[in-house]
Amino acid sequence: MKAKKFCIILGILLLTGCSLFATGKENLTWYDTSYGAIHKGAKEEGITEEDIMGRTEIAGDVFIFYEKKVSEGDAIGVVNIGKKNGKYTWYRSSPEIQIKNQKNNSSPSVHFKVDSLSKHKYTVYLGRAKSNLHGIDTVNGNRVAPAIDKKRQIYYFMEPIR
């Protein structure tokens, strides 16, 4: 029952939250370096560079995963470091996903879709890593080894949508 409620709440958050980011392409700030885009983007999100968990690159698209403390607990954000005409920008196409609440309860594994600035679509997988995590199953039926942030005990993985 709790899992069903969580899925319903997550669905509502994703549906309402995605509309907040769909029109963000017009207001992007461009920087001469990817470091500049990451540094300024992190500052605008209200996170420090210490909150950045990792970086993934797929088909030329670069994504940054970060953790953010929110009033309800811990959330994970995924952003694309977009590149155009030799300039870089911080582009977030989906809302942050809460994976832990104030009562220290972890959410089950979640997956959701993100877009890159170059209009490629990806599925992102997030969850709390248990000490015996040997892989996760993707929606495509593949078993993969996700990246694990051992300090935070969070795993993350993404794959292109075909």
Side-chain angles (χ1 to χ4, degrees), residues 47-53 67 149 151-152:
I47 62 171
T48 67
E49 291 185 35
E50 299 296 318
D51 296 322
I52 294 175
M53 297 174 9
E67 180 182 40
D149 182 304
K151 175 183 163 190
R152 295 172 179 91

Side-chain angles (χ1 to χ4, degrees), residues 31-159:
Y31 301 92
D32 291 330
T33 65
S34 61
Y35 175 79
I38 293 168
H39 179 73
K40 294 293 186 176
K43 187 175 180 179
E44 288 176 14
E45 293 285 354
I47 62 171
T48 67
E49 291 185 35
E50 299 296 318
D51 296 322
I52 294 175
M53 297 174 9
R55 174 186 185 277
T56 297
E57 184 173 348
I58 303 174
D61 286 325
V62 175
F63 291 88
I64 302 292
F65 290 81
Y66 64 89
E67 180 182 40
K68 185 175 186 178
K69 302 292 183 195
V70 294
S71 60
E72 299 84 23
D74 298 341
I76 301 299
V78 182
V79 296
N80 173 225
I81 303 303
K83 183 177 180 182
K84 186 176 181 181
N85 300 325
K87 302 277 187 176
Y88 300 85
T89 191
W90 176 279
Y91 174 68
R92 182 160 56 98
S93 68
S94 66
E96 293 152 343
I97 302 295
Q98 184 175 340
I99 61 164
K100 191 174 182 184
N101 65 26
Q102 289 178 335
K103 295 178 183 175
N104 215 16
N105 295 329
S106 296
S107 69
S109 302
V110 296
H111 66 273
F112 56 95
K113 295 177 182 15
V114 296
D115 298 329
S116 68
L117 194 61
S118 61
K119 299 185 180 166
H120 295 122
K121 297 183 182 308
Y122 298 91
T123 302
V124 175
Y125 302 85
L126 298 172
R128 287 286 177 182
K130 295 182 169 79
S131 60
N132 60 354
L133 180 69
H134 296 293
I136 60 170
D137 296 317
T138 69
V139 294
N140 295 329
N142 299 321
R143 183 128 182 107
V144 298
I148 299 174
D149 182 304
K150 293 183 184 195
K151 175 183 163 190
R152 295 172 179 91
Q153 296 181 322
I154 297 170
Y155 73 80
Y156 55 95
F157 179 78
M158 63 189 313
E159 65 183 352

Side-chain angles (χ1 to χ4, degrees), residues 3-15:
K4 187 175 181 178
K5 284 183 184 178
F6 175 78
C7 289
I8 291 169
I9 291 170
L10 180 62
I12 291 169
L13 289 173
L14 285 174
L15 288 174

